[in-house]
Amino acid sequence: MKRIAIYCGSSSGINGVYRAQAQNLGRLLAERQIEVVFGGGKVGLMGYLADAAMSAGGRVTGVIPGFLHIKEVAHDRLSEMITVETMHQRKSLIFSMSDGFIALPGGFGTLDELFEMLTWGQLGLHRKPVGILNVNGYYNSILTGIESMVGEGFLKIENREMIQVSGDADDLLRKMENYHAPPLPKWIK
């Protein structure tokens, strides 16, 4: 993996552990010479992640729609900033630039991006690893909900297993490096 998309909050949350783990992930990716691709914001976890990666000598590319750039939430010290017109273009470009995806804690936007990548993987549109850095058990209730989807017959076990989860960034990256996508659905072949 040479580039990983990071999805995370434009807020920092109420617990300092979220900020600390975003910074840790940014440093770790820089040390491994893995480029960060993200939404381009300077606020919240996005800003902490980008700053830490840049401070550790990493390469960071932001992709931001023009309407957010104008609102002055765009990071101004990245390796590269790409401005697009729409959120859909942003998501598509981040997808095409990345070899894998990691969700840190965040809100609706983070969940939207995470579940879109899982859905695309389920449909065979990509074979890239999708990880959740489960800082402070933040995603526990969502993971329980996913188990309920399996139990109720709305999600296959092999699709649930597409999600790589860890509370430790180094462990999560190891899991993603060793990821093997499930077989393509029969209707795709």
Side-chain angles (χ1 to χ4, degrees):
M1 292 184 297
K2 296 182 189 291
R3 288 178 163 173
I4 295 181
I6 307 296
Y7 304 128
C8 60
S10 58
S11 299
S12 299
I14 59 173
N15 188 328
V17 70
Y18 302 125
R19 180 186 69 225
Q21 288 303 311
Q23 291 170 319
N24 180 60
L25 179 59
R27 280 190 300 271
L28 184 61
L29 291 170
E31 289 167 5
R32 290 183 175 207
Q33 298 181 329
I34 298 172
E35 180 178 344
V36 171
V37 181
F38 81 123
K42 67 179 178 183
V43 294
L45 295 186
M46 293 196 322
Y48 289 116
L49 171 90
D51 289 343
M54 292 292 293
S55 293
R59 180 166 171 75
V60 179
T61 298
V63 181
I64 194 164
F67 77 91
L68 288 178
H69 202 286
I70 291 168
K71 292 185 181 199
E72 298 183 2
V73 298
H75 204 296
D76 57 357
R77 296 182 314 276
L78 302 178
S79 309
E80 181 179 10
M81 176 67 82
I82 301 169
T83 303
V84 295
E85 289 185 28
T86 69
M87 292 293 284
H88 292 293
Q89 289 171 334
R90 175 199 224 180
K91 289 165 41 172
S92 179
L93 185 56
I94 288 174
F95 165 76
S96 67
M97 293 176 69
S98 303
D99 302 317
F101 313 93
I102 294 177
L104 285 165
F108 287 151
T110 302
L111 293 177
D112 171 53
E113 293 160 332
L114 169 65
F115 280 104
E116 185 166 50
M117 290 304 101
L118 289 168
T119 301
W120 290 8
Q122 178 181 357
L123 295 173
L125 300 176
H126 75 80
R127 314 283 284 157
K128 303 173 185 181
V130 180
I132 293 176
L133 187 55
N134 195 19
V135 178
N136 200 35
Y138 181 80
Y139 282 102
N140 286 353
S141 59
I142 290 172
L143 294 168
T144 298
I146 290 169
E147 290 300 324
S148 179
M149 291 175 194
V150 173
E152 295 296 328
F154 288 99
L155 184 67
K156 294 179 180 174
I157 292 172
E158 59 265 25
N159 295 132
R160 178 201 60 209
E161 292 174 355
M162 291 175 13
I163 309 169
Q164 307 303 297
V165 181
S166 182
D168 177 77
D170 193 53
D171 180 56
L172 180 60
L173 288 172
R174 267 194 306 278
K175 287 180 177 182
M176 291 176 68
E177 288 167 353
N178 294 313
Y179 174 73
H180 297 288
L184 290 173
K186 290 177 184 170
W187 58 269
I188 292 177
K189 294 179 181 178

